[in-house]
Amino acid sequence: EPVAPAAPAVQLTGFFHQPGLNQFGYYFAKAPIQFGNFKLRGLHLGAPEDFANYEKGQRISPNYAPIMLEFDDVTSPLRENELGQPYHEVSRRVLPNAYKVTAEQVSFRGQDDVLGQVSFEGQIDAKALERVHAGEAEETVLTGALTAMGQTLNRAFVWFGGD
C-alpha cells in the first residue's frame, strides 16, 4: 500500500517557543542519521530562558542557539576530550533561521554551507518525556524527519539531560 506524500510544511518563519516550557536537553537518534560524511551527533534544546532571550535578540554567542543540530564528519580524525571520550575533529553546528517549539512539536529550519537546507519536523511525546525526566524509563520521546543534503530520514530520539 503506497503511502501518500506528506503535505508540504507551511513555510516556517520567525522564532517561537511556548512560554515556560522546559524541554532542555540533548536528543539523540536511536538509529544513526548520516548525510554524506556527516553523522548527526544530536539535537539540543535550551532552557526556557535561553529561548526567551534569543527571541528578544539577546544572543549568548554566535555559535549558540536554544535549538541547534550538531553533525560530525566521520572521516575526520578522532580526538579525545577531557573525559577521555572520542570525538571527531571536524563538526558542523547548524543554527536556526526559524523554529517553533511547543509541548507537542519541534520545527527547525537552518542553512549550512555543506549540508545545505537543514530542517527538522518532529513530534514530542510529552508523557514519555515526563517519565524519562522522572528517571522512570528510557524511551522514545521525540520522532521526526530530518532533512539535509536533499535527503530526508525519519527517526526516533531519546533524551539525555547532560553531564
Side-chain angles (χ1 to χ4, degrees):
E1 182 78 13
V3 176
V10 173
Q11 186 57 39
L12 185 66
T13 58
F15 302 111
F16 175 80
H17 176 260
Q18 187 174 317
L21 181 67
N22 188 358
Q23 298 167 322
F24 174 85
Y26 301 87
Y27 295 77
F28 298 119
K30 291 174 80 172
I33 299 178
Q34 190 167 325
F35 302 99
N37 294 336
F38 289 89
K39 182 178 178 183
L40 180 70
R41 183 186 314 157
L43 166 74
H44 169 71
L45 292 180
E49 58 272 17
D50 295 334
F51 278 99
N53 292 338
Y54 196 84
E55 288 157 19
K56 285 186 241 167
Q58 298 168 0
R59 307 291 193 258
I60 296 170
S61 139
N63 301 318
Y64 176 84
I67 179 172
M68 56 191 178
L69 297 160
E70 292 191 89
F71 294 86
D72 292 318
D73 180 345
V74 298
T75 64
S76 69
L78 278 173
R79 300 279 184 243
E80 228 175 64
N81 68 17
E82 56 279 356
L83 301 173
Q85 299 162 322
Y87 70 93
H88 285 279
E89 197 174 83
V90 177
S91 64
R92 302 198 71 79
R93 183 177 277 186
V94 184
L95 302 180
N97 294 330
Y99 63 75
K100 181 178 182 182
V101 178
T102 69
E104 299 84 34
Q105 171 193 1
V106 176
S107 297
F108 172 96
R109 298 281 174 285
Q111 176 68 39
D112 180 79
D113 293 344
V114 174
L115 295 162
Q117 283 284 347
V118 177
S119 66
F120 180 77
E121 283 298 328
Q123 288 73 46
I124 287 193
D125 180 336
K127 293 281 185 228
L129 193 56
E130 269 178 41
R131 288 191 296 271
V132 172
H133 281 171
E136 297 169 17
E138 182 169 310
E139 59 184 298
T140 297
V141 296
L142 174 67
T143 54
L146 179 62
T147 302
M149 292 181 147
Q151 287 181 282
T152 300
L153 297 172
N154 292 296
R155 291 290 187 271
F157 293 76
V158 293
W159 177 85
F160 174 66
D163 293 330

